[in-house]
Amino acid sequence: MSDVSSRDRKQSWFYTDIVKEHFFHPKNFMDRDVATDEYDATGKVGSPACGDELRVWLKVDPGSERIREFRWKTFGCGSAIASTSVASVMVTENGGMTLEEARALKPMDIMNRLGGLPARKFHCSVLCDKALRDAINDFYRRAGRFDRIVVEASRVVDLVAKVTDHDIEEAVLEGAHTLEAVQQKTKVGIGNPGVLPAVEDLIRFYREKYFG
Amino acid sequence: MATRHVYLDHAAAAPLDSRVLRSMRPFLEGAGGNPSSFHGDGKEAKDALDDARTRIASLIHARPDEILFTSGGTESDNLAVLGYARANKANGCHLVTSAFEHPAVLESVGHLEKKEGFTATYVSPGRDGIVSADDAIAAVRPDTVLVSVMLANNEIGTIQPVADIGKRLKKLREAGHTKAVLHTDACQGAGAMELDVEKLRVELLTINGGKIYGPKGIGALYAKRGVKLQPLQFGGTQERGIRPGTENVAGAVGLATALEISSEIREAENARLIALRDTLIGGLLARVPKSRLNGHATLRLPNNANLSFLDMEGEALLLYLDAAGIEASTGSACTSAALEPSHVILSLGLPYEVAHGSLRFSLGRATTEADVDYVLDTLPPLVQKLRAISPVRVDEKYYV
């Protein structure tokens, strides 16, 4: 990395007022230690080595399957904190989303609600939807309703960053044709270099598939 | 909102000294002749350029014809590494450098490896952020063409044993073991350390203006007489044809003045900064649990304090500090374009978690005790706030 300052680069300061509001005054974060059975479900994504780790806790109304409470903890940069905070509001407002609605929440929805994020921050810092889906599966697992657990159709290539082959495909389609470029978009293999050969194979495969 | 403005990012850019600006004024506002022109204004510009070159040469114990003006540290580093390696391939195609050089050196070496058939040995620094001269010298082979080790690291400020490496490399050359010469990137060391090319025993030395209260966009490369360089750009005979292009006269004058001022006030300013730095480091380590100093405690630049605060991420803290009026920088992945955390912290053998939570405070001439106190009062609760929302509890064994 070059001179560590980002001051002269400015990129990371391109945060909207909504991002800043959620970053400086995060909503619904878990401010204490919590027993495993206190909440109906938990989910996790990332690791401190890759730069972001996110955990979520849900309380779900058993009848309507609406999310009553969404608590979180995040280790991450400004946009990781802000995107999780805003997602916690989106999931619980107006009586709460049903688990099915929440499962359909996309990173793009979270970003739109924030009024946008710097492009290079998008893939790596909006992880909340993944942690949420992890928690929804945990809810059904605890309830013994295994038929409702949805295993993502795509294959996880980096278990730590929870990057899938689909994420790699999207990054290639968006113009990232080298390992470095794909890492910039997805953070795949950062802090977990063992997966890199498989990632390079995937990049080659999708590059050839779409760009010949 | 911020009640105070505390700029602690002087290692990225230092403000222009007003005396430097004054020395540059005639060449910014005046006729501004081209030093290559045959008329009065041209002559005036050429005289100023020659004078700046002579002043810089005398400060670093060199001869005027050994000073090449460039556009800054990056260009000087590129010219030293690429220009020297390409012009001296006959001496061998192996390079020795440290693993935590500035990217201007590292990426030049990487380019030579990838595209031009060179190989390189990257010497790792110790946990304390200091490259051992033994390791650097042991890496030198008969086919080594260039050794490049920075004078002081730009992120953690640790001072490298360049003079020792230079002395021992000279012995190897005299014994006929190698023809390799030594380059040092002195961009960060320049203000606080004496730059004497004879004492350092370097053949190439990079300086730039922006870090020493001089103008941005100007740098110099010292290249000892007889050291061959292949130009990186073409189109004129300026700077002996090695660095063609109309000269930045005002910049050169400013660089010379900035170096002179640094040299005059060095001793007193270093003592003042060391006291402030140690108050800052000691205070933060005492007030913030799970924090560590990165790099050697005393063999570091007087203005550099680089610490890691575990269980939180550096960019988030940087933004909170910025909102409180404190400007610093971080080695976290989140502010780098590549989303990779600091290669410097990782090169010390420290884990990613430590790199993500690293912060660099670089003090300057305007920094006061009150500024340091303000940081000591402001930072700990911000770390506490970020830790409160963080799920991570890094094990002590990772950072002690």
Side-chain angles (χ1 to χ4, degrees), chain A residues 1-9 11-13 15 20 22-26 29-33 47-55 57 72-81 120-121 124-125 180 183-193, chain B residues 7 9 11-13 101-103 114 154-155 188 211 306 310-313 315-320 322-323 327-344 352-353 356-358 360 385-394:
Chain A
M1 158 174 169
S2 63
D3 233 356
V4 256
S5 172
S6 57
R7 201 64 176 120
D8 46 350
R9 292 187 177 170
Q11 290 121 315
S12 51
W13 266 256
Y15 285 147
K20 283 189 204 150
H22 281 277
F23 173 61
F24 288 113
H25 309 286
F29 71 88
M30 180 66 82
D31 53 3
R32 59 194 168 82
D33 289 333
S47 83
C50 77
D52 289 286
E53 178 172 325
L54 169 59
R55 282 185 208 179
W57 290 264
W72 56 273
K73 268 185 184 287
T74 285
F75 169 96
C77 61
S79 52
I81 291 171
R120 53 186 209 79
K121 287 280 187 162
C124 68
S125 61
E180 289 81 9
Q183 284 191 301
Q184 280 184 30
K185 285 187 180 290
T186 63
K187 257 189 173 176
V188 67
I190 290 180
N192 186 17
Chain B
Y7 181 77
D9 203 12
E101 291 296 310
H102 189 278
K114 262 187 235 156
N154 53 310
E155 287 185 30
Q188 294 293 337
K211 321 270 189 211
N306 187 309
L310 277 297
D311 300 339
M312 43 127 275
E313 195 277 331
E315 192 227 44
L317 182 58
L318 200 67
L319 291 167
Y320 276 175
D322 189 43
E327 298 181 319
S329 70
T330 172
S332 149
C334 286
T335 53
S336 80
L339 295 173
E340 268 286 359
S342 161
H343 74 284
V344 173
Y352 279 73
E353 288 85 341
H356 285 302
S358 70
R360 179 187 69 184
K385 181 172 172 184
L386 285 167
R387 282 178 178 167
I389 61 174
S390 165
V392 173
R393 300 289 175 264
V394 174

Side-chain angles (χ1 to χ4, degrees), chain B residues 72-135:
Chain B
T74 298
E75 191 193 331
S76 291
D77 281 347
N78 279 208
L79 184 57
V81 176
L82 299 172
Y84 187 82
R86 285 170 182 166
N88 296 278
K89 266 187 174 169
N91 295 348
C93 285
H94 176 250
L95 304 150
V96 173
T97 191
S98 83
F100 69 170
E101 291 296 310
H102 189 278
V105 167
L106 277 186
E107 290 180 22
S108 296
V109 171
H111 178 84
L112 289 171
E113 278 186 295
K114 262 187 235 156
K115 305 280 185 186
E116 301 186 23
F118 285 79
T119 57
T121 302
Y122 297 87
V123 180
S124 289
R127 212 9 120 99
D128 59 0
I130 297 182
V131 172
S132 112
D134 288 348
D135 291 353

Side-chain angles (χ1 to χ4, degrees), chain A:
Chain A
M1 158 174 169
S2 63
D3 233 356
V4 256
S5 172
S6 57
R7 201 64 176 120
D8 46 350
R9 292 187 177 170
K10 294 277 185 185
Q11 290 121 315
S12 51
W13 266 256
F14 289 146
Y15 285 147
T16 66
D17 287 343
I18 308 170
V19 176
K20 283 189 204 150
E21 167 61 21
H22 281 277
F23 173 61
F24 288 113
H25 309 286
K27 325 286 179 216
N28 303 318
F29 71 88
M30 180 66 82
D31 53 3
R32 59 194 168 82
D33 289 333
V34 50
T36 31
D37 56 353
E38 196 179 327
Y39 279 76
D40 300 323
T42 69
K44 179 179 177 240
V45 61
S47 83
C50 77
D52 289 286
E53 178 172 325
L54 169 59
R55 282 185 208 179
V56 303
W57 290 264
L58 300 182
K59 276 193 180 164
V60 182
D61 181 84
S64 64
E65 291 196 351
R66 284 186 184 277
I67 297 173
R68 294 294 182 220
E69 202 180 326
F70 179 115
R71 299 272 170 192
W72 56 273
K73 268 185 184 287
T74 285
F75 169 96
C77 61
S79 52
I81 291 171
S83 62
T84 314
S85 172
V86 83
S88 75
V89 172
M90 293 168 76
V91 165
T92 51
E93 68 193 350
N94 305 323
M97 285 185 180
T98 63
L99 292 180
E100 207 174 317
E101 287 165 347
R103 181 124 65 190
L105 189 71
K106 293 275 176 295
M108 196 59 88
D109 305 326
I110 299 170
M111 188 171 77
N112 288 342
R113 180 70 173 263
L114 284 171
L117 277 174
R120 53 186 209 79
K121 287 280 187 162
F122 175 49
H123 284 276
C124 68
S125 61
V126 184
L127 296 167
C128 187
D129 60 304
K130 290 181 181 172
L132 182 56
R133 287 195 295 278
D134 195 33
I136 292 169
N137 280 344
D138 185 49
F139 175 82
Y140 289 124
R141 196 177 298 121
R142 291 191 196 192
R145 294 161 64 188
F146 298 105
D147 58 315
R148 300 297 302 270
I149 293 175
V150 176
V151 179
E152 312 239 341
S154 44
R155 183 169 60 88
V156 178
V157 260
D158 182 343
L159 270 169
V160 179
K162 293 215 165 82
V163 174
T164 64
D165 53 356
H166 180 70
D167 294 325
I168 308 280
E169 184 176 9
E170 247 180 46
V172 172
L173 275 170
E174 286 170 17
H177 293 174
T178 62
L179 177 62
E180 289 81 9
V182 169
Q183 284 191 301
Q184 280 184 30
K185 285 187 180 290
T186 63
K187 257 189 173 176
V188 67
I190 290 180
N192 186 17
V195 304
L196 292 182
V199 173
E200 285 187 294
D201 281 346
L202 274 175
I203 296 169
R204 207 170 305 123
F205 173 78
Y206 289 122
R207 209 174 48 212
E208 280 163 13
K209 178 175 172 189
Y210 293 109
F211 301 95

Side-chain angles (χ1 to χ4, degrees), chain B residues 1-6 319-326 374 378 382:
Chain B
M1 267 320 357
T3 52
R4 214 186 155 90
H5 181 234
V6 179
L319 291 167
Y320 276 175
L321 287 171
D322 189 43
I326 299 168
Y374 179 65
T378 309
L382 296 177

Side-chain angles (χ1 to χ4, degrees), chain B residues 100 125 129-132 149-153 158-163 193:
Chain B
F100 69 170
I130 297 182
V131 172
S132 112
V149 176
M150 65 206 324
L151 193 56
N153 183 270
T158 47
I159 293 165
Q160 307 305 314
V162 172
M193 297 168 66

